[in-house]
Amino acid sequence: MIGSEILLKAYRLMCTAKAMADTYEANRQVCKYVHSTSRGHEAIQLATAFNLLPCDWVSPYYRDESMLLGLGFTPYELMLQLLAKGDDIFTGGREYYSHPNYKGKDKPQIIHQSSATGMQAIPTTGIAQGIQFLENTDSPLYCNGEDGEPPVVVCSLGDASITEGEVSEAFQFAVLKQLPIIYLVQDNNWGISVTAEEARTMNASQFAKGFKGLQRLSIDGSDFIQSYEVMYNVIKEVRDHRKPFLVHARVPLLGHHTSGVRKEFYRTQEDLDKHFIDDPNPKLRKKLIDIGISENELKQIEDETREEVAQQFQQAANAAEPDPSKVSEHVFVPTPVTEEKGERTPAGRDKIVMVDAALFAIREIMEEFPEVVLYGQDVGRRLGGVFRETATLGEQFGDERVFNTAIQEAYIIGSTVGMSAVGVKPIVEVQFGDYVYPGFNQLVTEISKSCYLTCGKFPVQTIIRIPVGAYGGGGPYHSGCVETTLLSIKGIKVVYPGNAADMKGLMKAAFLDPNPVVMLEHKGLYWSKVAGTEEAKTVEPSKKYILPLGKANIVLHAAEEKIYNGETACIITYGMGVYWAKAAAKIFPGQIEVVDLRTLFPLDEELIFSSVKKHGKCLVLTEEQQNNSFAEALAGRISKECFKFLDAPVEVIGALNLPAVPMNIGLEKAMLPNPEKVSAVLKTLLDY
């Protein structure tokens, strides 16, 4: 039996949630930002919250305000986010209502919560993945409860989100690894204006039957007592036995979908009346009366909560707005790597190829940091990567730290959010640049925004490795360059090493950077098998060598006399472009300076602009298709910044503007830049 104390607490918070919804509706002019309320969902949300411990993790979704009340957040704290006020404890006025994040010792932890339907399933499953790793390795980073209780993870979802493919990826990984996670699915039979009958052939519980190893049950989520008992048992089951569970809770939708999509727009009175039959508030009220709670006591609770909500709403409405001067804060957290350190060219060492430089860097990282894991498709001990870029790591560090995943780019990328949150340091790989696109939802919606929208509480520390580029017959799905698309995402860093020393130094810096870093690694430079790329092989730097992100390098200098006479030009490039540029420069001895960017964001604009101003003529060279590329954007910035110093328009060379790299080697050559094409443009530029 559930004690009356818990039932009265639940009723008080139900009344609070109802008063909040009524207050928002009565003050629509003040509540101008779009929001949803929990009306109809209160019972299952409170039942869940009451059974969680501070050692646990939970990802509420945008209708979970009652869950937040049950966790101990005040109406005032929630209202500050509703009204986008500066003192909003979650996001400082940057995020929608009921989009929390929390890092503290008194409540369950909450990572960044986005509005993208179902997208939280992968990052939250990543939390459970990280917790399991810390448990299995007896890591000192593992955090359990005060009485030694192991943590559980709750991922809250609406039933309509289950049709998202990324939710399936999360379920698949959870059952494969038997993770300690509960998927709480609140089913109100609506997906905005789309009914369940229109959108799906089964509910979440029926759907979950297809995932072997995912325990499941379906309950009346409008009944607080049933919900509390079920969530108590399920949470205990997962806490004790460390296996995934899905709870499908049937609930009514009593409020609007959101304040901007009102129920009267699309719902009939008959449908609304049917839903109000299951209003959790009067259901619980009746049960309280049945056990002897007086009408006067309940009336007092109702009056008190209305008054408290009114007072806190007025207080929130009067709170200060955010400071506009701080709008650009928290895009990244500071990196400890600010200067080049260690020996770049130690005496007595042999030259190594780029792929080995990456391998050796990661090996040294994993030896020093036991919380590092490496995963992706085919990176495990059996193959060690399709380019042998992780060879021997599986044997050395074991399957717990180096392992294969299914073909799930979204999971590979998005799980790093949760892994990072619990202190694990993931290095992951997407097998080819052309296959990064299934992971873009996670990269854009979850990873890139996490630091900014949590005001720096949850930066995502991860390296995402992506082999890119064409080098002879790779074809249309294994040859692409993706930097322009990546650089359109704010909140991530993008690195593009062009030789072995840079690869090792940048890999170390990327690992130590507490922000998400994408490493673009050109397959054609991995082994220096492409003619003209022999200089990509360098002496292996020392173990302590670190090269800061955002520092370009002049890899070919022009003669001072020719610079003085105005006979020179600079080439700004990266990756394979460095070798095309150096080959082309041989035709113009002493006249060409080549700048290797090495990092595309942050970008070393200081060196770029100083080089252009020194020579007065500039060519930006890229392997990507030229139109609307990063290279063209950079050329525009150079033109603006260096306008008074230019003796000719800034030139750009890229690949032909084709949808894909063709398979035939002759066609590929016709599409891509090469030294001959670069030389022709340089001749025109120098003669200008």
Side-chain angles (χ1 to χ4, degrees), residues 36-272:
S36 298
T37 71
S38 57
R39 287 290 289 121
H41 295 229
E42 300 98 326
I44 185 61
Q45 292 181 18
L46 292 170
T48 302
F50 289 177
N51 282 291
L52 293 175
L53 301 174
C55 64
D56 296 329
W57 293 76
V58 60
S59 287
Y61 86 119
Y62 58 80
R63 203 177 294 284
D64 280 352
E65 66 179 356
S66 285
M67 186 181 292
L68 298 177
L69 291 171
L71 292 174
F73 295 102
T74 66
Y76 174 69
E77 289 171 325
L78 303 188
M79 291 168 181
L80 288 174
Q81 187 173 54
L82 170 83
L83 303 177
K85 296 293 187 173
D87 289 335
D88 161 27
I89 66 168
F90 303 126
T91 68
R94 299 176 177 191
E95 181 64 288
Y96 303 98
Y97 183 54
S98 192
H99 285 63
N101 60 83
Y102 188 73
K103 203 171 191 178
K105 296 183 178 180
D106 61 329
K107 299 179 182 70
Q109 312 297 295
I110 307 172
I111 59 172
H112 157 64
Q113 299 301 309
S114 74
S115 276
T117 303
M119 294 304 101
Q120 73 271 34
I122 286 177
T124 310
T125 306
I127 295 173
Q129 179 186 350
I131 288 172
Q132 184 187 73
F133 171 76
L134 296 177
E135 286 178 339
N136 291 348
T137 56
D138 295 321
S139 171
L141 297 172
Y142 176 68
C143 296
N144 54 14
E146 289 185 2
D147 296 322
E149 306 95 337
V152 301
V153 181
V154 174
C155 179
S156 180
L157 300 155
D159 196 276
S161 70
I162 302 303
T163 56
E164 282 279 9
E166 292 181 25
V167 175
S168 296
E169 289 194 23
F171 287 179
Q172 172 69 26
F173 199 92
V175 297
L176 181 68
K177 301 294 184 179
Q178 289 293 283
L179 301 179
I181 186 168
I182 300 161
Y183 299 102
L184 171 61
V185 182
Q186 300 172 58
D187 186 358
N188 60 32
N189 269 313
W190 285 98
I192 309 185
S193 67
V194 180
T195 64
E197 291 75 19
E198 288 178 90
R200 51 194 187 273
T201 60
M202 64 192 79
N203 64 36
S205 179
Q206 295 161 338
F207 180 68
K209 187 177 180 180
F211 293 89
K212 185 178 179 181
L214 179 59
Q215 299 180 78
R216 73 196 195 284
L217 51 79
S218 186
I219 65 169
D220 179 0
S222 70
D223 183 325
F224 176 77
I225 293 177
Q226 182 185 150
S227 296
Y228 185 91
E229 290 174 345
V230 165
M231 293 311 298
Y232 174 87
N233 290 326
V234 168
I235 289 172
K236 186 177 188 306
E237 172 77 11
V238 175
R239 201 180 300 283
D240 292 345
H241 299 289
R242 322 306 284 154
K243 294 182 178 181
F245 214 113
L246 182 141
V247 176
H248 169 252
R250 302 180 302 278
V251 291
L253 178 61
L254 305 184
H256 308 293
H257 168 68
T258 67
S259 56
V261 183
R262 300 176 62 78
K263 57 190 177 185
E264 58 265 25
F265 292 175
Y266 61 94
R267 298 180 68 182
T268 65
Q269 191 59 50
E270 180 183 4
D271 174 65
L272 288 168

Side-chain angles (χ1 to χ4, degrees), residues 222-378:
S222 70
D223 183 325
F224 176 77
I225 293 177
Q226 182 185 150
S227 296
Y228 185 91
E229 290 174 345
V230 165
M231 293 311 298
Y232 174 87
N233 290 326
V234 168
I235 289 172
K236 186 177 188 306
E237 172 77 11
V238 175
R239 201 180 300 283
D240 292 345
H241 299 289
R242 322 306 284 154
K243 294 182 178 181
F245 214 113
L246 182 141
V247 176
H248 169 252
R250 302 180 302 278
V251 291
L253 178 61
L254 305 184
H256 308 293
H257 168 68
T258 67
S259 56
V261 183
R262 300 176 62 78
K263 57 190 177 185
E264 58 265 25
F265 292 175
Y266 61 94
R267 298 180 68 182
T268 65
Q269 191 59 50
E270 180 183 4
D271 174 65
L272 288 168
D273 291 343
K274 181 180 178 182
H275 277 246
F276 268 96
I277 293 171
D278 286 321
D279 187 342
N281 186 296
K283 275 188 172 184
L284 181 56
R285 194 180 198 278
K286 181 179 183 302
K287 289 176 180 177
L288 286 166
I289 290 174
D290 290 343
I291 65 171
I293 306 299
S294 70
E295 182 75 35
N296 286 341
E297 186 174 351
L298 296 177
K299 182 69 164 58
Q300 183 179 353
I301 290 173
E302 293 156 9
D303 292 342
E304 286 174 355
T305 53
R306 276 196 297 268
E307 184 177 340
E308 290 166 1
V309 166
Q311 290 174 349
Q312 293 186 52
F313 180 77
Q314 194 58 53
Q315 184 184 359
N318 293 335
E321 297 292 319
D323 182 352
S325 68
K326 297 182 178 181
V327 68
S328 297
E329 292 182 355
H330 305 301
V331 177
F332 298 107
V333 292
T335 175
V337 181
T338 56
E339 58 185 48
E340 189 171 1
K341 292 182 179 180
E343 289 186 83
R344 182 178 173 91
T345 55
R349 289 203 179 188
D350 294 332
K351 287 186 176 182
I352 60 171
V353 292
M354 273 183 63
V355 72
D356 284 346
L359 174 66
F360 299 161
I362 293 174
R363 175 184 294 153
E364 290 170 0
I365 288 168
M366 296 187 75
E367 287 172 343
E368 184 175 355
F369 298 93
E371 66 270 29
V372 176
V373 296
L374 172 66
Y375 57 96
Q377 296 167 33
D378 299 301

Side-chain angles (χ1 to χ4, degrees), residues 352-366 374 387-393 397 427 429 463 465-467 497 499-508 511 519-522 525-526 536 538 540-541:
I352 60 171
V353 292
M354 273 183 63
V355 72
D356 284 346
L359 174 66
F360 299 161
I362 293 174
R363 175 184 294 153
E364 290 170 0
I365 288 168
M366 296 187 75
L374 172 66
F387 301 102
R388 304 295 289 158
E389 70 280 8
T390 60
T392 72
L393 295 180
F397 298 105
I427 301 173
E429 181 181 306
I463 298 176
R465 300 181 64 188
I466 307 178
N499 61 60
D502 288 347
M503 172 71 89
K504 188 172 184 183
L506 289 168
M507 186 73 77
K508 293 288 186 77
F511 170 74
M519 296 280 295
L520 300 178
E521 305 173 14
H522 200 293
L525 300 178
Y526 263 161
T538 70
E540 182 189 358

Side-chain angles (χ1 to χ4, degrees), residues 377-453:
Q377 296 167 33
D378 299 301
V379 303
R381 71 169 75 202
R382 190 176 297 112
L383 182 60
V386 294
F387 301 102
R388 304 295 289 158
E389 70 280 8
T390 60
T392 72
L393 295 180
E395 287 87 346
Q396 182 173 352
F397 298 105
D399 296 337
E400 196 76 50
R401 296 184 66 193
V402 181
F403 56 90
N404 296 323
T405 67
I407 303 173
Q408 294 182 325
E409 287 83 4
Y411 190 87
I412 292 168
I413 291 174
S415 60
T416 64
V417 177
M419 295 282 274
S420 175
V422 299
V424 181
K425 300 186 188 305
I427 301 173
V428 299
E429 181 181 306
V430 174
Q431 205 163 72
F432 292 92
D434 304 86
Y435 299 143
V436 73
Y437 299 104
F440 256 66
N441 269 345
Q442 293 295 319
L443 193 59
V444 175
T445 304
E446 309 300 329
I447 290 180
S448 72
K449 294 177 173 61
S450 183
C451 186
Y452 183 68
L453 292 181

Side-chain angles (χ1 to χ4, degrees), residues 468-491:
V468 295
Y471 68 106
Y477 291 100
H478 297 82
S479 306
C481 290
V482 294
E483 56 265 30
T484 293
T485 310
L486 289 168
L487 290 164
S488 70
I489 306 169
K490 313 310 171 191

